[in-house]
Structures are given as C-alpha cells and as structure tokens.
Amino acid sequence: GAVVSQHPSWVICKSGTSVKIECRSLDFQATTMFWYRQFPKQSLMLMATSNEGSKATYEQGVEKDKFLINHASLTLSTLTVTSAHPEDSSFYICSASPTSGVRGETQYFGPGTRLLVL
Amino acid sequence: AQTVTQSQPEMSVQEAETVTLSCTYDTSESDYYLFWYKQPPSRQMILVIRQEAYKQQNATENRFSVNFQKAAKSFSLKISDSQLGDAAMYFCAYRAGSSNTGKLIFGQGTTLQVKP
C-alpha cells in the first residue's frame, strides 16, 4: 500500500525559533500534497495545498509567511513554521495524492507531527 | 460552499453490537466522492470506506457499510459486530470531482467508544 512518512514525529522548540516538518511519499510520486492542522479532539483543518514545482495554495486565514511550504520534488514536501509561538503548538498532518491516481483514489496520510512550542 | 456535518460528537456501542454514525453534507456538485476515515489513538488517518456519488449501490467493506441517500445528502456509516479495535474518532469527508488532487472537506468527527 501507499506509505507516507513524516519527520519528525515529535518536536519541542523554543518560542521564536523555526521548525521544519518533512512529508515524504515513500513508494509513489505525488504531484499534490496537503498540509493539515489538528487540535485535540477536533477535526482536520486544511492549511494549504502543495503542488510540486509551484507555489502552495493557502486556505483563507492561514498566514503564508508564517507557514512556509516547499514541494521541491515529487516525493517531498516541507512545512516550516517560522518564528514559532506557543499558539502554533498543534498536531500537523500531511497527505499525498499519487500522481498516477485512478478515479476515486483518495489521499494517503502521514502519521503526523506533534509540535510543542515553549 | 460545500460543508460536511457530523451531529454526534460521541457515540458508544457494546462489543459485538451494531452502531450507525451520521453524516450530512451540502453541495451543488453532481460528481463527488464521500469517505469515512478512522483516526485511532495513534492519530494515523485510515480510510474505512468510500462512495462515488454516481453509484446508487451502497459501498461495503467487511463489517463496514454505508447508507448513501443522495437526495437527502446523507451518508451514514454502519459498523456491524463492533470490536474493541473500532474505538476511534471517525470523520466523514467530501471531495468534489473524481480527481484525487481535490481537497477533502471533513466533518467535525464522532468519537466512538466500544464497551466490552
């Protein structure tokens, strides 16, 4: 089956520092990847859609300068939380859509990254 | 704009019994997909079942089945013979179109407790 990894799985950082989260599709190519944020016992909130070789499309209310997304290859997208503050503490999940996707195929999700900003 | 609503924040079921989770959605599109995802305590999202809007037949995956009522814009999930491993948060999701690059719109989620 299609596997998506995220690294790191857990990160603690000081307020004001930047944190980079990697999302990799391990056994397929993904032109499109998605980044979500999830608070405890809440739903997934889409932050942005990442397309390989082009700028990400951010959802309304998401600060693009705060959450930098780079999709430099067909298997890797990165989310950088710049100048992190405690309110950025959350669970971040990525998903990837296979480039060779068939009709009806869905996204494959990574295991998530837990970010704690002190 | 498309919306997905799950009106049951929490549900509980006795082991081996059957439970139904509700989901309604709103869209003006004719081509779309609906999904149920499971998120166990590990927080890994797992696809449970999918339904194509054009197909009238309800999707089934082993103990999981859906009741897709297109006119009513309702998409409920039935879990039969509930097992302890079914305990998780369940999300209903909508995607416009057939392309897998379309974004998913999630409902608020329903936490399912399975009692032994």
Side-chain angles (χ1 to χ4, degrees):
Chain A
V3 178
V4 176
S5 70
Q6 280 185 243
H7 179 79
S9 57
W10 170 255
V11 56
I12 302 174
C13 69
K14 293 182 179 180
S15 185
T17 61
S18 295
V19 175
K20 179 185 284 188
I21 302 170
E22 294 185 348
C23 176
R24 293 182 185 272
S25 55
L26 299 185
D27 49 3
F28 64 96
Q29 293 184 331
T31 305
T32 303
M33 291 185 174
F34 302 87
W35 286 96
Y36 298 87
R37 183 174 183 177
Q38 185 182 33
F39 292 106
K41 297 189 177 182
Q42 292 189 24
S43 187
L44 281 69
M45 182 192 78
L46 179 66
M47 299 175 66
T49 302
S50 167
N51 289 295
E52 187 267 339
S54 63
K55 291 184 178 180
T57 302
Y58 289 82
E59 294 298 303
Q60 191 172 8
V62 178
E63 299 175 61
K64 58 181 68 177
D65 294 331
K66 173 76 171 176
F67 299 99
L68 300 179
I69 292 172
N70 184 274
H71 193 158
S73 79
L74 288 173
T75 59
L76 173 66
S77 176
T78 60
L79 168 67
T80 301
V81 183
T82 62
S83 186
H85 289 97
E87 58 265 30
D88 299 323
S89 298
S90 190
F91 190 67
Y92 293 88
I93 305 174
C94 75
S95 69
S97 295
T99 302
S100 58
V102 298
R103 180 180 177 88
E105 189 170 27
T106 188
Q107 308 164 15
Y108 297 94
F109 287 84
T113 296
R114 199 178 306 269
L115 170 64
L116 178 60
V117 184
L118 301 177
Chain B
Q2 297 96 350
T3 58
V4 178
T5 303
Q6 292 177 251
S7 58
Q8 306 156 317
E10 295 181 354
M11 292 283 283
S12 67
V13 63
Q14 207 70 33
E15 194 177 5
E17 296 296 309
T18 296
V19 64
T20 298
L21 307 184
S22 301
C23 173
T24 58
Y25 61 95
D26 188 28
T27 184
S28 58
E29 303 285 338
S30 59
D31 184 16
Y32 57 87
Y33 277 79
L34 297 164
F35 306 88
W36 277 99
Y37 284 90
K38 170 184 177 181
Q39 188 179 41
S42 68
R43 303 189 81 169
Q44 171 72 58
M45 294 289 284
I46 302 167
L47 176 66
V48 174
I49 200 165
R50 84 189 81 197
Q51 175 78 43
E52 181 175 3
Y54 277 118
K55 292 188 177 179
Q56 292 185 335
Q57 187 174 7
N58 289 323
T60 300
E61 289 286 345
N62 301 313
R63 297 183 295 107
F64 299 88
S65 62
V66 299
N67 184 3
F68 175 47
Q69 300 291 324
K70 191 172 182 179
K73 295 180 181 174
S74 170
F75 183 61
S76 61
L77 174 70
K78 185 172 81 172
I79 306 174
S80 304
D81 185 25
S82 297
Q83 300 176 359
L84 295 178
D86 294 333
M89 196 159 187
Y90 286 81
F91 293 99
C92 177
Y94 163 97
R95 187 187 75 203
S98 60
S99 170
N100 68 345
T101 59
K103 60 184 181 182
L104 291 170
I105 298 172
F106 287 93
Q108 302 91 327
T110 297
T111 300
L112 177 66
Q113 180 186 28
V114 181
K115 299 177 180 178

